[in-house]
Amino acid sequence: MLMSVSLKNNTMKQAAVFAYFFLALIFQAGFQAGAEEERENLKFLLEFSPDAVIQNEPFTFNIIVNYPDPDEIYIEPPDFHDAFRMERLRVETRFVLDNPREGNRWTVFEFLLTAVEAGTQKLDPFQITVFEEIIMTNPISVQVREENPNTKISLAWFGENGRSGVYPVRTGDSRELVLRVTNWGKTAYPAVQLRIEAPQNAIIEELPLSKNDRDAGIVLRLQIIPLDENPVNINKQIAYYEKIPMEIPPLQVSVLPAAVIVQTDETGTTNYSKTELSQTVPDTHKIAAAPLSVSFSVLIDNNKNIFAPLRAGVDACISEAAFFWAQERYAAALAVLRRGESSLAAGYAVRTARIICENAVGLPSCPNELWLPRRPLLFIFIFSAVFFVFLFFIKKICRVSFVFRAALFCVSAASFSVLLFSYNYVETRAVLGQCAAYPIPEETVKPVVYFMAGEPVRIRSKSGGWVYVEALIQNAHEKSGWIKKENMNNY
């Protein structure tokens, strides 16, 4: 009896094991059939705009496969025949709706390509493999448009700090210049190798670039030493960075006369001699700048056509500037001229003299002063104010209209406001002597920029014997720093 029960249990266990393996074979066959059916229905989509391809500009070519597992898909790109260059491949999955309620997960292969050649180019088929299933994309004819000739790297010449303008240099002295990228919209500036052909009248040395230089877009730093008083000219050149044209603009550096060594011998005789590049100047010798010639007498003679009462102020202003100029105090002379340009009724005549003097010292283009003639404004204010009070308190002249009295009051208030503004305007303007500017009001730190003699600036703040100024010269608005107050000449 016990043996019969044992045999019956063994038979039931064998039947259960047989049923388990039988169902597993059925499910496996069904799964394989489903997978084979899925592979048999293998599809792909292309996301690509063949008419929007520009030479040397990356474009995206997407292949979307209706299979959810990227690890089981292999895509073999074709031979691009040097017409295209593959930059990157990125794989991700995307949920694609078959209808408004149902969908499936597809795999996206994103190719980043660059068309190297312009014209009609053929993009050969890509091969898509999923297990043993292989499908091919269709060949595509791509119309690659020629790159825009205006799409190029723009370069510009600047001073030593990469922001200020290019200032003149004296014969035998050195000046640092930088070439900086001005239109680069990417995060990292291009690392390019440029070489400038030295002109015959100057020594040009290429200086190494620091990390700060590269981060600021500076691609070239030069030291220029002129050998004579002729301008140093650098011709226009074309270079390339990854087939992108870079136009190195032409540059002309003005050269001032050489410095003068003032020597006094034992007899008390003063001797003048120009410095040479190979000369070593003793510390006991005083170095003085060579005088710059400006004919102030001619400037005064040119004012004969000005109305006599107005000409007197102009002649006095130019004569005062000539006095400082003869003493080689060029910044003080230019400060006098700028004050006259702003405050005199015939300030336009002083402006002409000021521009001639700035050209003589080699300053770049400087802004003009606002015309705020103080004496005419003061006369208008006093006359209109007195007349308004006269009309207001004299009862016999009550026939005067309210509009006339209101207009008179407005003229008086406006002239007074402009007069106050003219004094405030002058307080924020100055002309500097040749000096260094520091990031903080301390001489122990390294200067950030240098100002030329006669350069106009805007005063931002003051701290003891220091003044924080900003340059007014065109294309040098970022040039600023702390200077010593003695280097400043107020209007």
Side-chain angles (χ1 to χ4, degrees):
M1 186 68 176
L2 293 173
M3 185 177 294
S4 174
V5 173
S6 177
L7 291 173
K8 188 182 292 186
N9 291 337
N10 290 336
T11 304
M12 291 178 64
K13 290 180 180 179
Q14 292 176 357
V17 172
F18 178 77
Y20 173 79
F21 282 107
F22 179 74
L23 292 175
L25 291 173
I26 292 176
F27 284 124
Q28 184 178 5
F31 176 77
Q32 290 178 351
E36 290 177 359
E37 182 179 358
E38 187 174 7
R39 290 198 296 269
E40 288 176 358
N41 296 326
L42 195 63
K43 300 177 183 178
F44 68 88
L45 299 174
L46 297 181
E47 288 182 344
F48 175 54
S49 180
D51 297 328
V53 179
I54 302 176
Q55 181 185 7
N56 291 325
E57 291 189 11
F59 65 93
T60 302
F61 180 82
N62 290 345
I63 300 177
I64 310 174
V65 184
N66 64 334
Y67 197 81
D69 191 353
D71 295 333
E72 298 179 358
I73 305 174
Y74 174 72
I75 294 184
E76 182 179 355
D79 185 358
F80 296 124
H81 304 291
D82 296 330
F84 298 94
R85 182 175 64 249
M86 190 169 76
E87 309 286 354
R88 187 191 66 217
L89 172 61
R90 187 171 63 182
V91 182
E92 62 182 8
T93 60
R94 181 188 303 175
F95 191 79
V96 179
L97 292 175
D98 298 330
N99 55 60
R101 295 186 177 181
E102 297 180 354
N104 294 294
R105 188 160 296 280
W106 293 38
T107 301
V108 180
F109 291 82
E110 181 185 278
F111 292 87
L112 186 65
L113 306 176
T114 299
V116 179
E117 300 292 337
T120 303
Q121 305 295 336
K122 182 180 178 182
L123 191 60
D124 291 334
F126 287 70
Q127 179 177 304
I128 306 172
T129 304
V130 180
F131 292 106
E132 297 180 356
E133 185 74 17
I134 298 176
I135 55 176
M136 305 288 292
T137 64
N138 296 324
I140 301 174
S141 180
V142 182
Q143 185 63 37
V144 181
R145 291 182 292 173
E146 187 175 358
E147 62 180 338
N148 188 351
N150 294 326
T151 303
K152 58 186 178 183
I153 300 177
S154 296
L155 303 172
W157 291 101
F158 293 92
E160 180 181 359
N161 63 347
R163 296 187 301 272
S164 61
V166 178
Y167 298 149
V169 58
R170 293 193 180 276
T171 304
D173 291 343
S174 63
R175 174 80 67 193
E176 286 190 23
L177 308 175
V178 299
L179 189 64
R180 182 163 65 84
V181 178
T182 59
N183 69 331
W184 193 255
K186 302 180 182 180
T187 55
Y189 285 96
V192 297
Q193 296 291 333
L194 300 177
R195 190 163 297 277
I196 301 297
E197 183 179 355
Q200 295 182 353
N201 65 327
I203 299 174
I204 293 184
E205 180 184 359
E206 183 177 346
L207 302 177
L209 297 177
S210 65
K211 183 180 183 302
N212 292 335
D213 288 342
R214 296 187 181 92
D215 293 342
I218 296 175
V219 296
L220 185 66
R221 180 177 289 274
L222 298 178
Q223 184 180 56
I224 295 181
I225 303 176
L227 303 177
D228 54 33
E229 297 182 5
N230 295 320
V232 177
N233 293 309
I234 296 178
N235 298 325
K236 172 182 175 181
Q237 300 179 37
I238 301 294
Y240 290 89
Y241 170 73
E242 294 183 354
K243 297 189 177 181
I244 302 177
M246 298 185 302
E247 180 180 312
I248 302 175
L251 175 67
Q252 183 179 80
V253 182
S254 300
V255 180
L256 302 178
V260 173
I261 303 177
V262 183
Q263 297 176 328
T264 303
D265 55 19
E266 297 178 354
T267 62
T269 305
T270 302
N271 300 317
Y272 298 86
S273 63
K274 290 188 176 181
T275 61
E276 301 294 339
L277 293 179
S278 58
Q279 251 183 327
T280 302
V281 182
D283 296 335
T284 56
H285 294 167
K286 179 183 177 182
I287 306 299
L292 302 177
S293 60
V294 173
S295 179
F296 287 93
S297 60
V298 175
L299 295 176
I300 294 176
D301 291 340
N302 292 338
N303 299 329
K304 292 182 178 180
N305 296 328
I306 302 176
F307 185 51
L310 305 181
R311 187 175 66 239
V314 174
D315 292 345
C317 179
I318 296 178
S319 298
E320 184 180 0
F323 172 77
F324 289 119
W325 196 271
Q327 299 178 357
E328 300 181 7
R329 297 169 59 186
Y330 304 127
L334 288 171
V336 170
L337 294 175
R338 283 191 171 272
R339 181 179 66 237
E341 177 185 352
S342 174
S343 61
L344 295 178
Y348 63 90
V350 181
R351 176 179 299 172
T352 302
R354 189 260 304 168
I355 293 175
I356 292 174
C357 292
E358 287 180 342
N359 292 336
V361 297
L363 284 175
S365 178
C366 299
N368 298 325
E369 296 294 331
L370 293 178
W371 185 56
L372 303 168
R374 294 180 182 175
R375 289 185 180 179
L377 286 173
L378 183 62
F379 173 78
I380 293 173
F381 166 68
I382 294 175
F383 176 80
S384 58
V386 171
F387 197 30
F388 174 79
V389 173
F390 180 76
L391 294 178
F392 186 79
F393 288 102
I394 301 300
K395 298 181 179 180
K396 295 181 180 180
I397 316 181
C398 58
R399 297 180 182 178
V400 178
S401 66
F402 172 78
V403 175
F404 179 76
R405 284 181 289 178
L408 200 59
F409 175 79
C410 291
V411 170
S412 176
S415 59
F416 181 71
S417 299
V418 175
L419 193 61
L420 290 180
F421 173 77
S422 67
Y423 284 98
N424 182 67
Y425 174 82
V426 168
E427 289 296 323
T428 61
R429 296 294 190 274
V431 176
L432 300 185
Q434 185 175 358
C435 62
Y438 300 85
I440 59 175
E442 292 288 343
E443 286 186 294
T444 56
V445 299
K446 183 180 179 181
V448 288
V449 293
Y450 293 89
F451 287 94
M452 294 182 63
E455 189 168 344
V457 295
R458 179 187 293 109
I459 300 172
R460 286 302 188 185
S461 62
K462 299 179 181 180
S463 177
W466 292 84
V467 183
Y468 188 82
V469 297
E470 292 180 351
L472 292 176
I473 291 180
Q474 297 178 7
N475 301 323
H477 299 296
E478 298 180 2
K479 182 180 178 182
S480 58
W482 289 93
I483 65 164
K484 297 297 291 290
K485 186 177 290 184
E486 57 263 24
N487 296 319
M488 183 178 64
N489 295 270
N490 290 101
Y491 296 2

